[in-house]
Each structure stands twice: as structure tokens, then as C-alpha cells.
Amino acid sequence: MTGQQLTVDLFDYVIFGGGGDLAERKLLPALYHRDRDGSIPNGARIIGVSRTERSDDDYKIFARKAIEAHVAPGDMDAESIQRFLSRLHYMSVDATGTTGWKELKALLDKGGSDRIRAFYLAVAPTIFGAIAAKLKTNSLVNGNTRVVIEKPIGRDLKSAKTLNAEIAKHFSEDQIFRIDHYLGKETVQNLMALRFANTLYDPVWNSTFIDHVQITVAESVGLGSRAGYYDTSGALRDMIQNHLVQLLALVALEPPSAFKADAIRDEKLKVLRALKPINADNVSQVTVRGQYRAGAGEDGAVKGYLEDLNGPSDTETFVSLKVEVNNWRWAGVPFYLRTGKRMPTRGSEIVITFKPIPMSIFEGSSGRIFQNRLVLRLQPGEGVKQWLMIKNPGPGGMKLRQVALDMSFAEEFEARQPDAYERLLMDVIRRDQSLFMRRDEVEAAWEWVDPILKAWTDTEQRVQGYASGTWGPSGAVALIERDGRTWHEPE
Ligand code: BG6
């Protein structure tokens, strides 16, 4: 159990791409967990949809395998699995054609005309617009409908606007749930609690007290067979434009007037609009692009990106940036962002480093006084650590030492740490958009990213190679060391 669960209202979840990778790895396991925890009411249905012909029973076999592969053994029991499978249905629908829609409508109508209908489009973004139109023309949309989409929402500002406009033709903004799954991670939500449910932090949450912020999202995996798809994207589009920029916005936002979707998103938007532009004039000083070469993976030697791709490429699998937020609170406080594949370990953290003390009253023999750091660990091992200086206990005079007030969630709370999708899937049903990206946020993020992409092309800034199993190219180290700072390596 993950603590107290509230059962949501009766719903039908329709997953387009129901037999796909996202459904298998994330959506079905997340819904299973929520069902086991008691959030899903009896009578709710989960309807897998794709073009392939399959029976309900075949889909249940697929779902059972997904659960067995992606749920921890301790969270599986025959009764819960059986109950979850009994909620599943399957419909073969040609998403861009005409077959299957009538049958899907008939199935949904059996649930009554005002039951919540959530359409999760776990399909290629190129067909989001077409499906949105089909839902409308086939009269599948009732007064209680939501539609869920995921990145990539465009590959630049223009395509993002086109995609948003296509969906907006058929759905209003309060029906559209744009998922950035990083916002569903426990520690990310905890950032809001730390800042706004305590008096301690907000008074020092500004350029007077904060020296700099680091956001690292490191993955140890390479691209392997995904390289072909990834090559059209790269780390800036795949991770920075959405996940890391969203994390930055949550760190930097002004206190919202209420913990309500639009109040939070209004404040995030202001941060996105205050990001200092990166263009041909400064791009080489504040950005580094990397691409992994052969080296050490977690389980032995691994190939380089070009071998994974089997061809030439200048796509970055690593990027680091020095970002500034041009507003009163943050003027002069750099936000260093980095993300990459084939890093030495999987680890994501937000590290807030406070300014040094103004002067030391201690003798040199007391030891070094480290700057206070607040480390928000996103994964794995979610938790928060506040690093402080204390006196080393016992004899030996005034010896100072750095220790962490350590709040590791798994140790502190017995509850299982839920996957981000669990929370997000239920928020869709609750119609709570706080953790979803609004159209203007997505577009503002692209507005900032587009000039970086253009500057890389215009200045011919190429990727720098880095050995797999290292923290990226030497340029990334130089990017922060030039400012007299160092990267905090996730533990
Ligand atoms: C996705 C990216 O959005 O996030 C992937 O497209 C990346 O490339 C993934 O691997 C990382 O998510 P998580 O939750 O495993 O950190």
C-alpha cells in the first residue's frame, strides 16, 4: 500500500497504442498498482486499443505478462492480478481509418453517457490530431472526457504549435493532459512541499543566499535499438526541452497563490519566459554537446552511439548548459543542467548550493567549511538531504565536519514509492492538471530551445565524444569549472 488511497470516480480508460511499449512498461503496471491500492472503483474499465486483431483474453495475457515483467514480486498477488485483469477489454480500431470506431462507441456507451472517459494516446504524435478528430466525429466524446498526450510535443516551436492547434480544434485546454512524467516523480512534488509547507526555505530561496543550482539527469543505458528513432531528436529535444526545463521552472517559480493547476502553471510560465536567450553569440560558452563512444557499461564493455546507430551522426546523447533566469529573484544565479546516456550510473538530482559563509570565525585547523547544500534526489532512492556543517563530536578541539540531515523516503516511510505514472493517471481522472503542461508552457520552452538548435547549426558546434561510463566530455567539466564550481556527482 502507498498510504491512504482515495477511490476515484467511475471511469473508462481507453489506451490507444494499448499493445505498445508504453502500455506494457508503464501504463498497465501503474494501473495495476492503483487498483491493488484501492484507487480504482468497481465497474471501471481499461480498454486497450490498437489496429491488431486480438481478443479480450489475448489482451489479458499481454497485460499479465506486462505486470509480471514490471511489477516487483512483493507487489503481486493472484487475487489483485485477477481483479485487475477482469477490468480489461480490447478493441481493434484503425486509428486513422474507419474500422472499429462504431464498436468502440458501443462499448463505451454501455458505461453510460456521463461516465468519465479518458483517452490516452500512447501512439506517434503524428496521429494525435487524426485521433482527436475521429473521437469527435464518431461521437465518442461526452461531457466528461479527457485526452492524454505525451512528448514529443513537436520538434520545434512551429511543429509544437501545429500539433497543439490540431488537438485544440476538438478539445478545450481543460480536457487536454500533456504528460511530462518527471512532474509525477515523488521528489519533484516534494519540492513544492519543502518550499511552501515550511517557513525555513523561502526566505533564503534567492540570489542573496543561493550560489547556484545544478540539475543532473543521468542514465546509464545507451540507445541500442532506439538509436534510429533517437537520432532525429537528441538530448536537447528529448530531455532538456521538457523534463529538465520543467524541473528548473519548479525550483525557480514564485510562490503560487494556491496549489491549483493554473496558479502553478502561471508561475512556471513566467520562469520559462525569463530564461536568458542562448544564441550564436553565447552558445559555445554556455552549452556542450556530447556523444558516447565505446567504453564501460554497467555490465561490461559497450558499443559507442555510432555503432548502435550503424551510421554517421552529429546527434548529441549528452548535453550540459549554463542557464540564467533573468528576474529579480535569480539574477546572477547560474542553473547548470546536464543530462546524458551511458553515464557511470543512473541518478537524477537537483542540488541547491548556498553561498559561502561571509567570513570564518574558526581557526584554519578546524577544517574546511563547505557551502550548505540541499540535495533533492529524484531517482533512484528518492529523498532529500540537507548538508550542514557541525562540530565533530568528541575531543580534539573544534573540528568541523559536513553531515547530511538525511531524509531518504524509503527508510522514513514504509510505503512503496509509486511510479510517476500512477499519480498522473489518476490525476487525469480527477481532472487535476497541476502536474501537466499547459499549451503555453510547452510553446515557451520551445521558444527558448529553438535558438539553441539554430545556433548549434549556424556556428557548426559539433558533438564532443566521451567514453561510455564517464560523466560526459571534458567540455562539460570546463563549463562549470570556469566559474570556480564543480559538478556534484550523484551517489
Ligand atoms: C523519456 C526520454 O522522456 O525519459 C527517454 O524520451 C529517457 O530518452 C526517459 O530514457 C527517462 O525517464 P526515467 O523516468 O527513466 O528517468
Side-chain angles (χ1 to χ4, degrees), residues 151 181-182 185 219 226 238-239 243 341 346 379:
K151 62 178 273 274
H181 76 281
Y182 268 63
K185 295 192 190 270
E219 295 180 274
R226 270 187 76 212
D238 186 48
M239 297 295 288
H243 307 322
K341 308 283 182 195
R346 173 171 183 256
Q379 60 189 23

Side-chain angles (χ1 to χ4, degrees), residues 241-299:
Q241 187 273 342
N242 36 79
H243 307 322
L244 278 87
V245 159
Q246 284 288 324
L247 297 181
L248 183 157
L250 282 176
V251 172
L253 52 65
E254 293 299 316
S257 56
F259 195 69
K260 293 256 164 59
D262 275 332
I264 297 169
R265 300 188 300 177
D266 286 346
E267 296 305 334
K268 279 200 286 167
L269 183 64
K270 287 185 204 159
V271 175
L272 298 174
R273 291 197 170 145
L275 295 178
K276 181 175 166 183
I278 296 177
N279 50 37
D281 297 334
N282 59 355
V283 74
S284 64
Q285 284 107 57
V286 297
T287 70
V288 173
R289 311 177 64 219
Q291 191 182 72
Y292 65 82
R293 304 282 179 248
E298 284 192 317
D299 303 315

Side-chain angles (χ1 to χ4, degrees), residues 406-424:
D406 183 356
M407 204 178 80
S408 153
F409 298 166
E411 284 164 25
E412 188 69 19
F413 307 106
E414 278 177 17
R416 176 182 65 80
Q417 292 300 307
D419 184 75
Y421 278 92
E422 294 180 37
R423 164 79 194 261
L424 298 174

